[in-house]
Amino acid sequence: MNYVTFGGVAIGLCLLIHQVVTWWPGRKPLTKDPIKHLSRLLPWLASWCYGALTTLGVGGLVGLVSSSVLGISNWLGDVALVWGVGGHGGQLAAAKTFVPLSAQGLAVVLILTVGFVAAVAKASGERSAVLKRGAWCGICLATSAGVAGFAAVPLATAANWLGGQVYGAL
């Protein structure tokens, strides 16, 4: 299992705040056409879900990349906490339990990986960056002990169910 520190959670929350602030259209435009503005969040949200799934017991190359991103984020966040605001780094902020992915759930993550790589390759400029930041945020927050960590439980359950439905029918 991947463990996240307070620094890693801070990085994830910074990515989340960045996305919300850059997305925010203002109260008036949001109330006038909420579907249009909320739909602009869907690519980021989908990549967040993908990033969260990659931290839940995924091995191989996908797990190595996810673990590396989380490790670097933990280190960067801990450095920022110590040198930026005088805090303490290295403290675990991980959830005590999580739902691991089944073999079928791992197959779903493999399929999602192909889709994610294709979407990033097809997207250009800011759209590609939004997808990457969403996955990075998901990796940082999925195993946290907060609300985002609890979101990983239904994601893993859904991936396991979907994999069971697809591979159970074969």
Side-chain angles (χ1 to χ4, degrees):
M1 176 171 170
N2 297 317
Y3 293 99
V4 66
T5 64
F6 288 150
V9 171
I11 294 291
L13 291 174
C14 287
L15 291 165
L16 175 65
I17 294 297
H18 177 272
Q19 181 61 33
V20 170
V21 168
T22 56
W23 162 81
W24 182 252
R27 188 183 63 80
K28 248 186 185 174
L30 187 60
T31 55
K32 183 178 179 185
D33 194 0
I35 301 297
K36 173 187 168 191
H37 293 292
L38 290 173
S39 67
R40 288 182 43 221
L41 283 177
L42 289 179
W44 187 88
L45 183 61
S47 64
W48 186 94
C49 292
Y50 168 73
L53 282 172
T54 64
T55 64
L56 300 175
V58 176
L61 186 58
V62 173
L64 177 66
V65 170
S66 179
S67 294
S68 298
V69 168
L70 182 58
I72 291 168
S73 300
N74 285 339
W75 182 81
L76 285 172
D78 288 344
V79 167
L81 286 176
V82 171
W83 292 97
V85 293
H88 300 286
Q91 299 173 356
L92 290 182
K96 301 295 182 202
T97 61
F98 70 103
V99 176
L101 293 169
S102 65
Q104 295 90 351
L106 291 171
V108 169
V109 172
L110 176 64
I111 295 165
L112 291 175
T113 299
V114 172
F116 179 76
V117 170
V120 168
K122 183 179 178 182
S124 61
E126 183 58 27
R127 287 181 176 220
S128 176
V130 164
L131 293 173
K132 292 173 188 175
R133 281 193 308 263
W136 185 11
C137 182
I139 289 170
C140 289
L141 296 180
T143 58
S144 69
V147 172
F150 292 125
V153 172
L155 283 174
T157 304
N160 289 340
W161 176 83
L162 181 61
Q165 296 301 309
V166 170
Y167 290 99
L170 296 176

